[in-house]
Amino acid sequence: MGSRGPKPTPQGVLKKRGTYRPGRHGTDLEKTAVQYLDEVPEPPESLDKFGSNLWVHICTKAVDHGSWISWSDLVSLEQYCVAAQFARRYAKLAQIDEYGFVSSEFKIWKDSVAILDRLASKFGLDPSSKQNINWTTKESPTKKLSQFKLS
């Protein structure tokens, strides 16, 4: 059996109306709001030079655009950067022999690329998911794209 009655009014609407009551409507919105990156965090130790540069590049863009990556997304961002490291490292070693057998390096590369694709859509790093991000730009970006070297 389904739930009865109308759905509860969102807290934001109640606040705008002036009818919000913490005792009745639950926790305050400001306390539970998502906190987005306001500074570029240090790259994790699990990243090499390429991964660290990618980390700094993505985090810098997130800080410049305001509401893109939250602090809770940093674990997934680390996974993305590690997968990029593996994909780059094993792309040169991946081989398929004349009989169609693949090397173990090829399997690692293929899995890394699959992880990259999945996480890229989460962070808006591919063309189709980029449209779903609210790109609110601050006054001036901290660094230009040409200043980053990923290799």
Side-chain angles (χ1 to χ4, degrees), residues 29-86:
L29 280 179
E30 286 80 24
K31 294 178 184 174
T32 59
V34 176
Q35 295 181 350
Y36 293 101
L37 292 180
D38 52 355
E39 62 182 16
V40 177
E42 289 294 319
E45 293 180 6
S46 61
L47 301 177
D48 62 8
K49 184 179 178 186
F50 174 77
S52 295
N53 287 340
L54 184 61
W55 172 276
V56 170
H57 173 69
I58 293 172
C59 288
T60 302
K61 289 197 63 87
V63 169
D64 290 343
H65 290 289
S67 59
W68 179 26
I69 295 178
S70 68
W71 288 98
S72 60
D73 292 330
L74 293 182
V75 173
S76 296
L77 181 59
E78 180 182 3
Q79 292 173 347
Y80 178 83
C81 293
V82 169
Q85 287 177 180
F86 277 99

Side-chain angles (χ1 to χ4, degrees), residues 66-112:
S67 59
W68 179 26
I69 295 178
S70 68
W71 288 98
S72 60
D73 292 330
L74 293 182
V75 173
S76 296
L77 181 59
E78 180 182 3
Q79 292 173 347
Y80 178 83
C81 293
V82 169
Q85 287 177 180
F86 277 99
R88 185 168 188 253
R89 184 178 308 145
Y90 288 99
K92 299 172 187 171
L93 304 173
Q95 296 177 355
I96 300 176
D97 66 7
E98 64 270 5
Y99 302 109
F101 293 109
V102 296
S103 63
S104 59
E105 290 85 3
F106 180 83
K107 292 177 183 177
I108 294 171
W109 172 80
K110 182 180 171 187
D111 291 343
S112 299

